[in-house]
Amino acid sequence: MTNRLWIYDTTLRDGAQCEGLSLSLEDKLRIARQLDSLGIPFIEGGWPGANPKDVQFFWRLKEQPLTQAEVVAFCSTRRPGTTAANDEMLQAILSAGTRWVTLFGKSWDLHVIESLKTTLEENLAMIRDTIEYLRSQGRRVIYDAEHWFDGYKHNRDYAIKTLEAAADAGAEWLVLCDTNGGTLPHEVSQVVRDVLAALGTNREVPVQLGIHTHNDSGVAVANALTAVQEGVTMVQGTINGYGERCGNADLCSLIPNFQLKLGYDCIQDEQLVKLTQVSRSISEIVNLAPDDHAPFVGLSAFAHKGGIHVSAVEKNPLTYEHLEPEKIGNRRRIVISDQAGLSNVLAKARTFGMDLDRKNPACRQILEKLKDLESQGYQFEGAEASFELLMREALEQRPPWFEIKGFQVHCDKVGEDCTALATVKLSVNGTNILEAAEGNGPVSALDAALRKALVNFYPAIAHFYLTDYKVRILDSGAGTSAKTRVLVEFSNGQDRWTTVGVSGNILDASYQAVVEGLEYGLVLGDREAIVLTVSSY
């Protein structure tokens, strides 16, 4: 197909070089299957022989192959002064058993002379010899021209010779790598045109170019888009833009831009709707918080906060959305804050399954209560579960699940150990309850005591668990008297919801948030049709 664009994912290799990201073997396998379900054609699995984990990864995929993706092994050209056939590193590559191998070689004469400590001619021989050997062993080769753009700027003629050596030896794709991430889009455009002209179109096998960009200048996605518009047919990148230093080109931005805006065929439409879910699932696997403000897949990518915006979007989403969020598996969100108008309140109520009339006095009451609480330091755009409870209270739809009477927390520190004991008093259906529980901190102890007090009345609480806890000092100039805002996130294994508490006492703020978190979990379970109103993936 003339409009076919080949997406090449390197999350498992280049992405894994991101600071703070560490993948186990099982993590890598789970991510590979997520990418496979998304329809990614090429998945770079790692460097077999570089570490035992990558060797095991390829073995495991031999036992349980992916459904459609080509798994690619990655390696460098042979060492100087030897032959590819005698290089032990390449034997490990062959043992991985992949049809495709991505080989990287030096394009920049500075690296050849100072890093490899060899001659320019020997580097060309290393490229040719390695590719020819891999081809002789039945492998198909993608050649990554490392530091291509820097090499081109410093010694154009030599950089072109490295590509010619790779093409003549049988590489099927020549990938231009902006390894240092310093190239700008206008330079990419000029260089890609020059490469296509220099390599010519009269070869027996036409040259296919790829692009591999890093984000050190903040333009990795723009550089990849530019390269494709100049004739590149393979794009390498990572999910969520993970990668060394500032990261790689983000496939979660590139794929929808290519497919929905430029008309390229990357993956199937039914696979594209999984993009947001895959992005968030992989962020969970790598244990890095999702970027709420990421284009396309972020929680805030289609969030509307200003009252005028909300009113317009309600009438026609095109007024403030560049595409339909459902096409990439995301959703529209109406954000509630002190910027809100009645349109926000009405729209948010609909997401909770409540169809309010603008003339209902409760609407104005909710809006005034919202603005009053936010002036005190509450923030509901990050705690939508608390806002739903507020709304239900105004509409007299908040069930009296339990009544809080009070709490105490006692902390002991002996040597290196610190424990907390919490006691809570509450009432359920007129029955007074006093319970105590220990935890490794005051919030943990409060959470445990509340559960212990309530679980006999509401068994579903046994399945709720605290997944995140955030503290914000609102007026730092007040020192230890500062007001504190606490956000607590809960989950029941399927849904996630966040509640907020504010107080001059951090324990009181935490207690408010935990109490509302448990209450909201009961509201979720009590609905006839659960509407996901918070950051659930």
Side-chain angles (χ1 to χ4, degrees):
M1 292 181 290
T2 56
N3 250 23
R4 180 64 193 267
L5 196 60
W6 299 91
I7 301 298
Y8 180 111
D9 180 275
T10 180
T11 303
L12 299 177
R13 201 270 310 168
D14 217 349
Q17 295 176 184
C18 174
E19 185 176 6
L21 193 155
S22 179
L23 299 178
S24 68
L25 172 60
E26 292 302 323
D27 291 338
K28 293 189 67 164
L29 291 165
R30 287 172 64 196
I31 290 172
R33 299 201 185 281
Q34 290 277 343
L35 297 171
D36 190 40
S37 72
L38 188 60
I40 302 296
F42 292 99
I43 300 172
E44 187 176 272
W47 190 332
N51 60 73
K53 182 167 56 182
D54 282 358
V55 172
Q56 294 171 38
F57 172 80
F58 288 100
W59 286 351
R60 289 280 292 274
L61 286 186
K62 283 183 186 177
E63 297 169 0
Q64 293 181 305
L66 301 180
T67 59
Q68 60 83 37
E70 291 281 359
V71 183
V72 184
F74 179 86
C75 69
S76 71
T77 56
R78 67 158 171 83
R79 297 175 177 84
T82 183
T83 64
N86 292 323
D87 195 319
E88 292 182 1
M89 171 196 69
L90 293 175
Q91 299 309 308
I93 300 302
L94 296 175
S95 296
T98 61
R99 287 204 308 163
W100 287 87
V101 173
T102 293
L103 179 79
F104 77 91
K106 302 297 184 185
S107 309
W108 191 358
D109 55 5
L110 173 73
H111 273 257
V112 175
I113 295 166
E114 296 197 10
S115 296
L116 293 180
K117 302 294 184 184
T118 191
T119 66
L120 300 184
E121 280 303 316
E122 173 63 2
N123 182 55
L124 295 176
M126 291 159 60
I127 295 169
R128 282 192 296 266
D129 183 28
T130 309
I131 294 174
E132 288 173 351
Y133 176 69
L134 291 172
R135 295 287 286 161
S136 74
Q137 300 301 305
R139 302 303 189 267
R140 302 177 72 174
V141 178
I142 298 164
Y143 177 69
D144 275 10
E146 189 190 30
H147 291 284
W148 163 259
F149 291 93
D150 294 299
Y152 179 94
K153 293 173 188 176
H154 288 84
N155 188 338
R156 173 197 176 279
D157 292 342
Y158 183 73
I160 293 290
K161 285 181 181 178
T162 64
L163 292 185
E164 290 175 333
D168 293 343
E172 296 186 47
W173 259 291
L174 308 178
V175 181
L176 310 181
C177 301
D178 187 27
T179 310
N180 282 352
T183 309
L184 297 178
H186 72 282
E187 297 174 295
V188 170
S189 180
Q190 171 200 330
V191 172
V192 171
R193 285 199 304 266
D194 186 32
V195 169
L196 287 170
L199 295 182
T201 56
N202 57 352
R203 291 174 174 271
E204 184 177 339
V205 178
V207 170
Q208 297 183 96
L209 291 187
I211 186 73
H212 177 116
T213 56
H214 284 253
N215 203 39
D216 299 72
S217 298
V219 290
V221 167
N223 282 343
L225 290 168
T226 298
V228 167
Q229 290 179 298
E230 294 294 346
V232 162
T233 57
M234 172 181 280
V235 176
Q236 297 188 356
T238 62
I239 294 295
N240 299 327
Y242 299 137
E244 199 164 20
R245 304 185 310 278
C246 304
N248 289 45
D250 187 352
L251 292 179
C252 295
S253 291
L254 284 172
I255 292 172
N257 272 322
F258 285 133
Q259 190 143 326
L260 299 177
K261 298 192 173 186
L262 296 176
Y264 288 95
D265 293 310
C266 301
I267 57 180
Q268 300 298 317
D269 290 343
E270 60 268 25
Q271 294 167 325
L272 185 60
V273 298
K274 299 179 181 179
L275 185 65
T276 299
Q277 177 264 318
V278 168
S279 165
R280 295 175 182 177
S281 294
I282 290 177
S283 73
E284 291 291 328
I285 294 170
V286 304
N287 199 28
L288 292 178
D291 179 0
D292 286 348
H293 300 282
F296 296 99
V297 297
L299 187 66
S300 300
F302 299 92
H304 304 283
K305 180 174 177 179
I308 294 174
H309 290 212
V310 172
S311 179
V313 165
E314 286 284 294
K315 295 168 186 171
N316 186 341
L318 289 176
T319 53
Y320 285 98
E321 291 178 354
H322 63 111
L323 56 78
E324 297 173 35
E326 294 79 11
K327 288 186 175 179
I328 39 86
N330 209 335
R331 63 186 180 92
R332 182 175 304 112
R333 293 174 57 245
I334 305 303
V335 177
I336 293 296
S337 76
D338 61 359
Q339 307 268 329
L342 277 179
S343 296
N344 297 59
V345 173
L346 295 171
K348 179 56 71 175
R350 281 192 286 277
T351 70
F352 298 147
M354 308 174 195
D355 193 9
L356 292 184
D357 188 328
R358 178 178 287 270
K359 297 178 182 178
N360 187 331
C363 293
R364 184 64 61 180
Q365 179 187 341
I366 292 166
L367 186 59
E368 294 305 317
K369 181 71 171 176
L370 164 71
K371 294 191 176 184
D372 177 56
L373 288 172
E374 291 222 345
S375 71
Q376 297 176 38
Y378 285 81
Q379 184 183 67
F380 292 98
E381 61 185 86
E384 294 179 340
S386 284
F387 181 73
E388 182 178 347
L389 292 175
L390 182 156
M391 183 178 287
R392 286 178 175 275
E393 185 171 358
L395 296 170
E396 300 181 350
Q397 296 179 10
R398 186 171 178 175
W401 301 97
F402 49 87
E403 181 184 357
I404 300 300
K405 300 288 189 178
F407 74 90
Q408 290 183 335
V409 178
H410 179 77
C411 294
D412 280 322
K413 182 170 175 62
V414 180
E416 297 298 317
D417 297 325
C418 184
T419 59
L421 174 67
T423 304
V424 298
K425 294 179 181 179
L426 51 85
S427 173
V428 181
N429 297 328
T431 302
N432 292 322
I433 304 162
L434 176 68
E435 276 292 357
E438 289 185 318
N440 59 6
V443 179
S444 172
L446 281 169
D447 178 45
L450 283 165
R451 293 166 186 278
K452 193 174 177 183
L454 293 169
V455 72
N456 289 333
F457 297 91
Y458 306 114
I461 282 179
H463 303 290
F464 302 167
Y465 54 94
L466 194 148
T467 57
D468 201 2
Y469 175 80
K470 298 184 179 76
V471 177
R472 173 80 183 273
I473 304 301
L474 299 180
D475 46 349
S476 57
T480 55
S481 299
K483 189 174 284 188
T484 303
R485 179 168 63 229
V486 170
L487 290 172
V488 172
E489 184 184 77
F490 277 91
S491 176
N492 58 9
Q494 293 181 321
D495 312 318
R496 294 187 176 201
W497 59 93
T498 302
T499 49
V500 62
V502 174
S503 175
N505 184 311
I506 189 172
L507 291 180
D508 183 35
S510 302
Y511 191 65
Q512 292 175 36
V514 171
V515 166
E516 285 205 348
L518 295 174
E519 182 182 355
Y520 186 78
L522 296 173
V523 170
L524 268 182
D526 196 48
R527 291 185 191 169
E528 289 184 7
I530 292 177
V531 179
L532 302 186
T533 59
V534 291
S535 52
S536 58
Y537 333 125

